[in-house]
Amino acid sequence: MWTIIGIAVVLIAIIFPLTNKSFNTPADSGKGNDEAELRIQPVARFELAKAEAAAASGPKDGPTIYNSVCGACHNTGAANAPKIDDKAAWAPRLATGKDALIKSVTNGKGAMPPKGGATLSDEEIAGVVAYIMGKVK
Ligand code: HEC
């Protein structure tokens, strides 16, 4: 009987300090939060700076998007894309109207992936389609 109690006391003496960490006083846990905040601050600041930079650069304009995304196919005719200087290839497409072309770019058409495979806002798509339409007229 006393042996069992003795063992129980020893076990409690060993385990209690270990579990004690989870029973922090409010003051302690408050301090812990501050430390955690301090530790994530550099990362948080960095993420914020990135977000601000992205917002500052805003939507990209037509030529920028064309050169970085669309030109890969439309400059070279890769994947049988109508080339930017091939007015004859564009004439029937232009005839379908700007909205139809925007829809093709947004949803993809044939070998062209949706949005040319990039992440573009509706505004950016409208801008780059307008740019192409001006070029191929
Ligand atoms: C992977 C190659 C590829 C990329 C990248 C690409 N295109 Fe295309 N694009 C094509 C092909 C191929 C067609 C012809 C599709 C068809 O008619 O089957 C096409 C057709 C088009 C058309 C005519 C659509 C129609 O309804 O006839 C427009 C407008 C267009 N592309 C704009 C863009 C814009 C804007 C981008 C960049 C955001 C872009 N493309 C990126 C391959 C590409």
Side-chain angles (χ1 to χ4, degrees):
M1 179 64 187
W2 285 111
T3 327
I4 292 172
I5 292 176
I7 291 172
V9 167
V10 170
L11 281 180
I12 289 170
I14 293 171
I15 291 168
F16 190 65
L18 295 179
T19 57
N20 201 18
K21 286 204 182 92
S22 54
F23 300 131
N24 278 337
T25 64
D28 280 349
S29 53
K31 193 174 128 234
N33 283 344
D34 287 350
E35 273 169 19
E37 264 167 37
L38 277 177
R39 262 180 263 133
I40 65 166
Q41 252 182 14
V43 177
R45 283 218 191 93
F46 178 66
E47 291 299 328
L48 195 66
K50 268 207 314 204
E52 275 166 3
S57 64
K60 296 195 186 70
D61 64 2
T64 308
I65 295 170
Y66 179 82
N67 289 325
S68 61
V69 181
C70 324
C73 294
H74 289 283
N75 281 344
T76 59
N80 275 331
K83 283 173 78 172
I84 193 81
D85 56 5
D86 188 349
K87 291 187 165 56
W90 279 100
R93 300 179 192 272
L94 283 182
T96 65
K98 188 177 179 189
D99 288 347
L101 297 184
I102 288 177
K103 214 172 134 204
S104 298
V105 175
T106 305
N107 302 328
K109 186 179 182 190
M112 177 166 62
K115 303 179 180 182
T119 305
L120 301 171
S121 68
D122 291 350
E123 190 189 342
E124 288 172 326
I125 292 174
V128 69
V129 166
Y131 171 74
I132 291 179
M133 290 180 83
K135 279 268 184 189
V136 300
K137 233 179 238 165

